[in-house]
Amino acid sequence: MEVGAADFQRALPRLRGRVRRAAFLAIDMEFTGLHSTFPQNNQPSLFDSPAERYLKARQSVQRFTVTQLGKCCSDTEKNFPRYMVHSYNFFLFPSMLGVTDVEFTLSASSIQFLSHYGFDYNKFLKDGIPYMNEVQEKILSQHLLEGSWKVSSALDRDVLKKAIDEVTCWIGAAEEEETMILQDLSGSQMFEVQLVLRQALPNVWTQPLGDKVMVKKVSPQHRELLENSPDDCCQKELILLSARGFTNLFQTLVKAKKPLVGHNMLMDLMHLHDKFYKPLPESYEEFKRNIHNLFPVLIDTKTVTKSIWKKCQFPPVSNLLEVYAALCSKDPKDPTCPVIALASDCSKYAEKKSPHEAGYDAFLCGSVLLKSAHLLLCRFTDDAVEAGPSFSQYLTVLAEYLNKVNFIRGGVSSINFSGEDAPCQHPPLLVVHVQGWPGLNERQIYQEFKALCRFDVRWLSKNQFILLSNKFKHVRLVLRDYKHHPHLRISVYRHWRHSPRVNCLLQVSSIVALWSLLAFVLGGAPCCSF
């Protein structure tokens, strides 16, 4: 079900109720870009520690924004094992109500990718639900208290100018209690027009009428009474409620403390923190603590399914749709397998695949979780599985995967949001010694091996580079095929032999030892007198 700015406020109470009743919540996001190319060398690398990767990703999250957020609420019903799924597709756009203008970057490849899968950019731009984080809300709240209102959008300034011109032309000849209607207003313009008119003209009052605003000429005494009325739509709390937009639902997610499910969800978590909670901190450990406080139970289906593929000998698929298809093909007639039923307002996902639509991917993610958990329960527990296992039973069998978010191509296999990150076992490092091929750089070394296998490359010293792969077969392949290469000599990296620091220390030690020996020889042996 699609939800835009025009429907969101009306749907919010129902959405909050679904969140509170859900057994778990699955999310997915689409962005205006994924990995920023600025500054240079910002691409993920196998050499990255979690803290290094976080700082790289933080720069990308600060430059790009969320275009679409999918949320899937799965309610367990009395007749287990049936799960009723409500999947929502929210178009989002940064709040522009009285805050500093928000800047974000578009990645050409990401825009092309989403366009290929039918993403509607008009809905993103024209009907995106506003949102803001706590810092932005504090700034807006301060402006409202001080009465210092600022309109960031050039379009909104033109609309305001037109409205003010119409009202000032009308009010001179108007009688008290006479009214006029301002039309063609939308979103934040409804509030901005009213706040600016009330601030500029002490003898008018405003009231929204659908997508219009009624302007009434009033006496100062009547104006004072209206300002103190509890029904005033321009009260600070109501303005903040409107400006927060989707952040209101995010705060409900946080309070509900339901298990939060995603697939390769690190970037999703970083955007959730940055866009709806607080700007991302510089400290990686602080980010982990904040996320764990917001969402105490995280389940990354990528982490779960990677383990299942090894244990159950499934085909090596990683694309979310392929993972879902592989799990659906496994034991399709198992009577204890959970039944996943889409609610009537989300039925289009039962009829048509919509990959890379956030609401559909959130539905897939929730389904993969249930099917994976059921497979683990059946395969790796001693007791026979009764019909209709509860979600708490699924959580128990998933215990080893909780709060471990998949880490793509790095120094650890997953980020542990409730403890220390455990390092993963990579194949040994290789060192490339270049002979007779001057001016070779990291990019050229990467291109040299790209056709054969994939390595990440890092400069070590003059004419030496380090290669790192996540596949042992690639290491064996390169050591074999480049054994007699005329310009590249490849060997397994040995710290004591290849480290520039160790080599420097050995050279200094050799020089010190040589000078000591020379001093001893030239000075002669000391004489002993009795």
Side-chain angles (χ1 to χ4, degrees):
M1 178 180 178
E2 285 189 354
V3 183
D7 313 312
F8 182 72
Q9 283 300 121
R10 186 170 59 254
L12 185 57
R14 184 175 72 254
L15 293 168
R16 282 172 163 164
R18 294 258 162 83
V19 167
R20 295 184 188 110
R21 291 191 297 273
F24 66 90
L25 302 165
I27 63 163
D28 182 77
M29 294 187 194
E30 302 299 336
F31 315 114
T32 58
L34 195 57
H35 299 298
S36 176
T37 56
F38 179 85
Q40 288 185 344
N41 301 321
N42 200 46
Q43 291 295 315
S45 165
L46 284 169
F47 292 101
D48 291 342
S49 69
E52 289 169 336
R53 177 70 59 80
Y54 168 74
L55 290 176
K56 287 182 178 181
R58 178 175 178 261
Q59 292 176 326
S60 297
V61 169
Q62 290 169 335
R63 290 174 66 83
F64 299 121
T65 196
V66 182
T67 58
Q68 198 178 59
L69 187 147
K71 180 175 69 69
C72 172
C73 305
S74 296
D75 307 337
T76 53
E77 297 190 335
K78 291 181 180 179
N79 54 327
F80 285 123
R82 180 181 166 91
Y83 286 81
M84 180 58 70
V85 173
H86 300 270
S87 195
Y88 297 94
N89 204 33
F90 301 96
F91 287 93
L92 303 180
F93 195 81
S95 180
M96 298 179 65
L97 186 58
V99 297
T100 305
D101 199 6
V102 176
E103 296 180 358
F104 59 83
T105 303
L106 301 176
S107 161
S109 59
S110 293
I111 299 304
Q112 185 183 52
F113 176 83
L114 290 178
S115 296
H116 175 75
Y117 286 100
F119 184 82
D120 191 335
Y121 281 95
N122 279 324
K123 289 182 179 178
F124 161 61
L125 295 169
K126 296 181 179 180
D127 197 29
I129 304 164
Y131 60 86
M132 58 174 53
N133 61 35
E134 290 182 4
V135 172
Q136 293 166 325
E137 182 178 345
K138 187 176 180 180
I139 294 170
L140 174 59
S141 181
Q142 190 64 33
H143 285 182
L144 289 171
L145 281 174
E146 295 171 354
S148 54
W149 193 256
K150 180 183 177 182
V151 179
S152 302
S153 164
L155 175 63
D156 289 351
R157 284 196 292 271
D158 291 343
V159 171
L160 278 173
K161 184 178 183 303
K162 180 172 178 287
I164 291 169
D165 289 346
E166 288 181 25
V167 173
T168 49
C169 289
W170 163 80
I171 200 166
E175 301 288 334
E176 277 191 13
E177 301 302 313
E178 196 172 329
T179 64
M180 70 167 292
I181 301 295
L182 296 173
Q183 305 197 42
D184 301 324
L185 301 173
S186 62
S188 61
Q189 296 170 359
M190 298 286 291
F191 284 108
E192 289 172 336
V193 163
Q194 294 182 79
L195 289 168
V196 169
L197 286 174
R198 291 184 188 186
Q199 190 176 27
L201 302 170
N203 59 338
V204 302
W205 188 248
T206 60
Q207 185 176 337
L209 299 173
D211 60 348
K212 306 177 181 67
V213 168
M214 182 190 74
V215 182
K216 179 188 286 188
K217 186 173 182 179
V218 296
S219 65
Q221 295 80 10
H222 191 192
R223 164 80 179 251
E224 187 175 351
L225 287 172
L226 291 168
E227 284 176 343
N228 296 319
S229 167
D231 300 324
D232 180 15
C233 68
C234 286
Q235 290 178 4
K236 176 188 169 184
E237 292 75 15
L238 293 175
I239 294 174
L240 288 174
L241 181 71
S242 177
R244 275 196 301 265
F246 188 83
T247 307
N248 293 302
L249 186 57
F250 169 80
Q251 290 168 351
T252 302
L253 302 182
V254 171
K255 289 176 184 175
K257 302 300 180 193
K258 304 286 184 177
L260 190 69
V261 183
H263 189 80
N264 266 336
M265 65 190 300
L266 177 60
M267 294 300 286
D268 295 333
L269 292 172
M270 293 183 72
H271 276 281
L272 284 175
H273 189 300
D274 189 70
K275 304 302 187 289
F276 310 117
Y277 177 51
K278 292 178 181 177
L280 286 167
E282 290 187 17
S283 165
Y284 164 68
E285 293 298 334
E286 184 181 349
F287 163 69
K288 283 177 62 175
R289 287 193 300 272
N290 289 349
I291 289 294
H292 189 56
N293 289 333
L294 293 171
F295 305 108
V297 181
L298 297 171
I299 309 173
D300 190 334
T301 52
K302 178 67 175 181
T303 302
V304 177
T305 53
K306 270 201 315 186
S307 174
I308 289 178
W309 291 170
K310 295 174 184 176
K311 293 176 180 178
C312 303
Q313 297 181 337
F314 266 58
V317 294
S318 59
N319 175 285
L320 184 57
L321 187 57
E322 292 174 346
V323 171
Y324 174 72
L327 285 166
C328 286
S329 67
K330 197 71 177 174
D331 299 328
K333 296 181 180 179
D334 180 0
T336 67
C337 193
V339 176
I340 302 166
L342 279 158
S344 58
D345 54 2
C346 314
S347 58
K348 78 165 189 173
Y349 292 151
E351 301 160 2
K352 180 186 175 185
K353 296 175 183 177
S354 304
H356 303 293
E357 182 173 292
Y360 181 70
D361 284 355
F363 158 68
L364 292 182
C365 191
S367 302
V368 165
L369 172 74
L370 291 171
K371 291 179 179 295
S372 300
H374 188 77
L375 183 61
L376 286 169
L377 192 65
C378 294
R379 293 287 182 92
F380 305 111
T381 54
D382 296 330
D383 301 327
V385 177
E386 298 178 0
S390 67
F391 188 70
S392 61
Q393 288 177 275
Y394 288 155
L395 279 182
T396 301
V397 80
L398 289 166
E400 66 177 291
Y401 308 108
L402 300 185
N403 297 318
K404 293 177 181 175
V405 171
N406 187 53
F407 191 71
I408 304 173
R409 291 181 59 78
V412 298
S413 59
S414 62
I415 292 176
N416 186 355
F417 279 87
S418 55
E420 294 294 322
D421 301 328
C424 61
Q425 185 180 5
H426 279 308
L429 291 167
L430 300 181
V431 61
V432 180
H433 184 78
V434 182
Q435 296 174 314
W437 197 344
L440 210 60
N441 58 32
E442 289 181 4
R443 186 67 188 167
Q444 290 169 313
I445 289 284
Y446 175 82
Q447 292 296 334
E448 169 69 21
F449 294 104
K450 184 179 178 182
L452 185 66
C453 49
R454 185 174 177 185
F455 281 91
D456 285 353
V457 183
R458 180 170 286 183
W459 181 85
L460 178 64
S461 63
K462 184 180 180 181
N463 297 329
Q464 285 190 320
F465 299 86
I466 292 179
L467 303 180
L468 180 58
S469 174
N470 58 356
K471 296 185 183 297
F472 283 89
K473 66 179 181 180
H474 288 176
V475 171
R476 292 192 295 268
L477 192 64
V478 165
L479 286 172
R480 185 195 70 194
D481 289 9
Y482 278 76
K483 193 172 184 178
H484 303 293
H485 195 279
H487 302 296
L488 303 177
R489 191 173 77 245
I490 301 174
S491 59
V492 175
Y493 177 86
R494 307 293 182 195
H495 184 70
W496 58 268
R497 181 181 175 188
H498 297 112
S499 169
R501 291 183 181 180
V502 172
N503 286 333
C504 180
L505 183 62
L506 289 174
Q507 288 173 13
V508 170
S509 301
S510 299
I511 292 170
V512 171
L514 181 62
W515 275 105
S516 299
L517 180 62
L518 190 60
F520 177 80
V521 171
L522 295 177
C527 297
C528 296
S529 57
F530 297 93

